[in-house]
Amino acid sequence: MKVSVLATSSAGNCTFVGTDRTRILIDAGLSRKDTFERLRSIGEDPDKLDAILITHEHSDHVSGLGVLSRYYRKLGRAVPVFMTKLTAPLIEWIGDPPPLEHFQAGTGFSIGDLHVQSFTIPHDALDPVGYTVRCFGGKFGLALDLGYMPESVKYHLSRCHMLVLESNHDIEMLKVGPYPWSVKQRVMGRKGHLSNDVVSEYIAHNLDGENQTLLLGHLSEHNNHPEIVRLVATQALERRSLGTRLIVAETKNQCEVFRLG
């Protein structure tokens, strides 16, 4: 299983997961041009995409979805889009919608040789989900945009060999930052975004010993800094004596390619 985070920030989110047989995107928050350029840079042909999975309806996760779908329709390819039944009505399409695969949050399903498990996350969207993907003995997990770490999310993220997790803000930077107080309260709320401290707590007490790679993303450009994220997470990993490789995603650049299984 091949994984590459093409983008993860408030400006856009998109992750590629694939095998020799099956290729999917999780979220489509980049322009078609950027998505295709980043796919080609990791050796993937955008025309061979098999499906797009959506976590929730916020623009940084779906802003490129309509244009992508229109491109595949013109190409004569029916690339299905998977999203929850409650999320689907909130998406605006350009022309006719693509084939839609609706599912109930918490449902598992297969796309080619990838087995996908969805799970509910606490965020201020209508029906947001995270995903795990299994194939060839490897397990990949992704949870972005969540206000806290409920036990159910911890359960689904257990035994992941690679995990992409939000580390959105530093509490003190957020408090003195430029956002209006109402926005600060939203970000810090239980349906907002994870702070570095909450992520550190998760690493220190819950990160699975089988985890080989932890990628922290969705960093706020105004209320966080990569080196703060790296320091706090590294200290938590060292307390556990885990051999996990830590990656802190750059907000405007895609990440390297990872292989699982």
Side-chain angles (χ1 to χ4, degrees):
M1 187 161 56
K2 176 179 178 180
V3 177
S4 179
V5 177
L6 305 184
T8 172
S9 75
S10 57
N13 295 273
C14 186
T15 298
F16 171 84
V17 183
T19 66
D20 290 339
R21 288 181 47 204
T22 309
R23 297 162 182 84
I24 67 172
L25 291 181
I26 301 178
D27 285 332
L30 296 174
S31 69
R32 182 180 71 84
K33 178 183 177 183
D34 284 344
T35 301
F36 284 10
E37 285 180 352
R38 296 182 185 207
L39 284 172
R40 292 186 182 108
S41 75
I42 61 170
E44 294 296 333
D45 182 351
D47 292 349
K48 294 183 178 180
L49 195 68
D50 293 295
I52 301 172
L53 281 58
I54 299 299
T55 58
H56 63 288
E57 73 274 12
H58 289 170
S59 61
D60 55 323
H61 296 260
V62 301
S63 61
L65 183 58
V67 175
L68 278 177
S69 298
R70 182 175 62 176
Y71 171 84
Y72 289 117
R73 284 201 308 272
K74 289 183 176 179
L75 199 65
R77 293 200 63 227
V79 175
V81 176
F82 289 73
M83 62 181 71
T84 70
K85 296 176 182 179
L86 297 179
T87 299
L90 304 177
I91 304 299
E92 295 184 6
W93 302 104
I94 300 173
D96 295 332
L100 297 179
E101 297 288 344
H102 300 158
F103 62 88
Q104 188 76 29
T107 299
F109 49 89
S110 293
I111 305 171
D113 53 5
L114 300 176
H115 180 72
V116 179
Q117 177 67 50
S118 67
F119 54 93
T120 296
I121 58 174
H123 189 53
D124 59 355
L126 186 59
D127 193 22
V129 295
Y131 294 106
T132 61
V133 184
R134 294 175 182 266
C135 188
F136 303 131
K139 182 181 178 182
F140 167 71
L142 181 143
L144 299 172
D145 293 61
L146 62 164
Y148 71 106
M149 294 287 288
E151 292 302 315
S152 58
V153 171
K154 294 175 184 177
Y155 169 80
H156 283 288
L157 297 183
S158 65
R159 304 180 73 86
C160 282
H161 300 99
M162 179 180 178
L163 174 60
V164 175
L165 185 64
E166 171 177 66
S167 191
N168 178 257
H169 60 276
D170 175 84
I171 289 288
E172 296 306 316
M173 287 182 69
L174 176 63
K175 288 179 179 178
V176 301
Y179 290 178
W181 179 242
S182 60
V183 177
K184 294 178 182 181
Q185 288 180 305
R186 170 191 170 268
V187 171
M188 290 186 290
R190 286 172 68 82
K191 291 189 175 182
H193 294 274
L194 291 183
S195 70
N196 299 339
D197 291 341
V198 172
V199 173
S200 173
E201 185 77 7
Y202 170 76
I203 294 171
H205 297 284
N206 302 107
L207 186 67
D208 200 286
E210 294 185 29
N211 184 270
Q212 299 165 7
T213 304
L214 173 63
L215 190 149
L216 299 179
H218 214 301
L219 277 63
S220 169
E221 293 189 54
H222 299 289
N223 305 303
N224 214 346
H225 191 282
E227 291 310 313
I228 296 177
V229 176
R230 194 183 315 279
L231 175 62
V232 173
T234 297
Q235 290 174 341
L237 285 169
E238 288 176 347
R239 289 200 296 273
R240 291 278 306 281
S241 299
L242 294 175
T244 301
R245 181 187 177 196
L246 174 66
I247 308 290
V248 179
E250 298 180 24
T251 56
K252 296 182 180 179
N253 298 318
Q254 71 188 87
C255 299
E256 65 188 90
V257 175
F258 303 90
R259 297 188 183 276
L260 310 178

